[in-house]
Amino acid sequence: MPGTESSNRLTRTTRTTRRSTGRPTKRAAGLLAGAAAVALVLTGCASGNSSASGDSGKVTGTVTLQTWALTPTYSDYLKGVASSFEKKYPGTTVKLVDQPGDGYSDKVLSQASSNSLPDVINLPPDIALPLAKRGFLQDISKDDSTLKKTYVNGALSAYNYKGVDGTFGYPWYLNTDVDYWNKSMLSQCGLDPDNVPKTTDQLFEQAATMHAKCPDDYLMSRKPGLSDFSLAGVKILNSDGTKFTFANSSKAADLIDKYAKAYQNGYMPSSVLNSDYLGNSTLFTQTKVAWTTGGATAIADFEKNNPSLKGNIVVSPALDTPPLYVQGLSVSSKSKHIATAEALAKFMTNATNQEKFAHLVSIFPSTTSSQSDPYFSKDDGTTEAKARVLANKALKTAENLSPVEANDAMTTFLDQQIALAMKGQTTSKKALETAQTKMNTLLANG
């Protein structure tokens, strides 16, 4: 997130979530596909979550910290934290390594397959999953009883996986979505900018009102995905994470039918089902739709790309349950200095160091105590500050709405089937069954 490439990870204004375009960015697609590749290559690798021989349990020795696209922009910050750690724990040395954004999952794959993972690795939950399943990551909950009271619940649970006992990452930095609304479009089309939708049901209701008043304008511009199924109470995966089960619930088909009806009634642009769909944030910037989602700083991009939006944007909390985007630090179970690696990951993610980092870049700390920091919790009356405060508050209840087991190939196929159902070319039930069969085949193979 920090730095140009990193910012695409968590601060991008269009994500593959219940409120996004429904299409991942190329970068996100590569990461998800890379995670699947990791799983395939590691299948034959040795597993077992045991400490490397020679680890004394003392915080001493040399450990390597690998970050992801944070240098050179944040080199001074990283060097400062490493130096502070070495001063706190005499006899330790921290080696800093940073990998480029592109090809990161492939790099991690190569390191794991050659048993050369760094001691502490910057991993999002989806890339950590196959490594955790095959014993390459340390279960940090065995050695740290303070996790639950230190970190935001949703962020910590992102590193708990179905079918695997343990916690496989210290949450590092977070982001979530807030909702953005075009004030003028709402007012002109019979809607109240001071009473914007709070739920998906209210969104559909107001979309109908807008269409009746302004047939050529739109409030909605997206189709549903796995995260929407979660919000609808659909069980997406079985208990051990080995099979998708969403097609077994009538609620999933009912949800697609609801979107299909809205689409066929003209409540959203026809382009949402096309391969050249621009995404809801782009359409919002072009003032073709009145609603989008984005991170707490997205408003700056909207206004930069379309100055007419300045002073014309209303911000509100994300509909229903807010989504959670997580980056973390995992510890290699093969480290020669497990205790030192765990201490470093914990030190990097303590409240003081996270708050310093979050003041440098548009992210949020994963530590619960940081939520009271005035920088994140004080509203100075500007729309920008309100967005930041709303996002900070949302982290208390934000959840990972789409399972990390669902890689890009799976969600792309599901997306295609949902589009067919919304066009009326197949039934919602049949689309879900077809997608589930394909996704379970991919899951079993990877």
Side-chain angles (χ1 to χ4, degrees), residues 72-110:
T73 308
Y74 300 98
S75 294
D76 289 344
Y77 170 79
L78 294 170
K79 290 176 182 177
V81 176
S83 178
S84 296
F85 178 80
E86 292 168 348
K87 290 178 181 178
K88 180 176 181 179
Y89 297 102
T92 63
T93 300
V94 178
K95 292 184 177 179
L96 297 174
V97 176
D98 190 69
Q99 299 293 344
D102 291 338
Y104 185 69
S105 58
D106 291 335
K107 179 64 177 181
V108 172
L109 159 64
S110 177

Side-chain angles (χ1 to χ4, degrees), residues 186-208:
L186 295 180
S187 299
Q188 293 166 7
C189 298
L191 298 175
D192 183 0
D194 295 324
N195 189 29
V196 296
K198 295 181 177 63
T199 66
T200 299
D201 286 341
Q202 291 177 5
L203 178 69
F204 277 96
E205 293 171 1
Q206 294 202 23

Side-chain angles (χ1 to χ4, degrees), residues 353-370:
N353 286 320
Q354 287 211 52
E355 287 167 16
K356 287 180 181 177
F357 197 29
H359 287 202
L360 295 175
V361 63
S362 302
I363 56 174
F364 293 89
S366 63
T367 42
T368 55
S369 62
S370 300

Side-chain angles (χ1 to χ4, degrees), residues 27 61 72 105 114 123 130 151 156 165 169 199 209 244 249 275 283 290 348 392 433 438:
R27 175 163 172 71
S105 58
S114 62
L123 295 175
Y151 302 98
L156 187 62
D165 292 331
T199 66
T209 299
F244 290 99
S249 171
S275 59
L283 295 180
M348 289 286 297
N392 180 60
E433 290 173 345
K438 176 70 171 181

Side-chain angles (χ1 to χ4, degrees), residues 31-43 45-47 105 108-109 112 117 123-137 161 164 168 404-405 446:
L31 297 180
L32 290 167
V38 170
L40 287 171
V41 174
L42 296 184
T43 299
C45 294
S47 62
S105 58
V108 172
L109 159 64
L117 276 177
L123 295 175
D126 60 324
I127 298 180
L129 169 60
L131 299 177
K133 283 188 171 181
R134 288 156 182 84
F136 284 91
L137 300 183
Y161 302 114
V164 190
F168 298 94
V404 295
E405 290 84 354

Side-chain angles (χ1 to χ4, degrees), residues 29 53 96 130 160 168 185 191 208 214 216 245 255 263 271 283 289 302 316 365 403 416-417 426:
S53 60
L96 297 174
N160 298 329
F168 298 94
M185 290 181 69
L191 298 175
C214 303
D216 296 326
T245 59
L255 182 66
Y263 174 78
S271 63
L283 295 180
V289 300
F302 297 146
S316 70
Q416 292 167 348
Q417 291 300 309
T426 187

Side-chain angles (χ1 to χ4, degrees), residues 100-288:
D102 291 338
Y104 185 69
S105 58
D106 291 335
K107 179 64 177 181
V108 172
L109 159 64
S110 177
Q111 291 170 327
S113 63
S114 62
N115 281 318
S116 60
L117 276 177
D119 301 276
V120 182
I121 321 110
N122 179 188
L123 295 175
D126 60 324
I127 298 180
L129 169 60
L131 299 177
K133 283 188 171 181
R134 288 156 182 84
F136 284 91
L137 300 183
Q138 181 76 357
D139 171 12
I140 61 173
S141 65
K142 295 192 308 181
D143 303 319
D144 192 340
S145 61
T146 67
L147 293 173
K148 291 185 177 180
K149 66 180 182 181
T150 302
Y151 302 98
V152 174
N153 180 61
L156 187 62
S157 64
Y159 291 91
N160 298 329
Y161 302 114
K162 292 179 181 292
V164 190
D165 292 331
T167 302
F168 298 94
Y170 284 90
W172 190 7
Y173 54 90
L174 314 175
N175 224 317
T176 186
D177 281 342
V178 294
D179 286 347
Y180 294 94
W181 312 86
N182 185 308
K183 186 188 304 184
S184 296
M185 290 181 69
L186 295 180
S187 299
Q188 293 166 7
C189 298
L191 298 175
D192 183 0
D194 295 324
N195 189 29
V196 296
K198 295 181 177 63
T199 66
T200 299
D201 286 341
Q202 291 177 5
L203 178 69
F204 277 96
E205 293 171 1
Q206 294 202 23
T209 299
M210 173 168 273
H211 180 69
K213 296 282 187 178
C214 303
D216 296 326
D217 291 327
Y218 306 95
L219 189 63
M220 299 173 62
S221 59
R222 61 177 301 277
K223 54 184 177 291
L226 283 177
S227 53
D228 297 275
F229 297 166
S230 292
L231 292 171
V234 175
K235 185 177 181 181
I236 296 177
L237 279 167
N238 63 3
S239 58
D240 59 3
T242 58
K243 285 187 177 181
F244 290 99
T245 59
F246 54 82
N248 305 345
S249 171
S250 61
K251 292 180 181 179
D254 291 343
L255 182 66
I256 295 178
D257 287 340
K258 189 172 185 177
Y259 273 88
K261 183 179 179 181
Y263 174 78
Q264 292 161 11
N265 286 342
Y267 297 172
M268 60 183 80
S270 59
S271 63
V272 299
L273 302 184
N274 297 342
S275 59
D276 59 351
Y277 170 51
L278 296 175
N280 54 359
S281 64
T282 298
L283 295 180
F284 179 82
T285 303
Q286 296 175 348
T287 66
K288 294 179 179 178

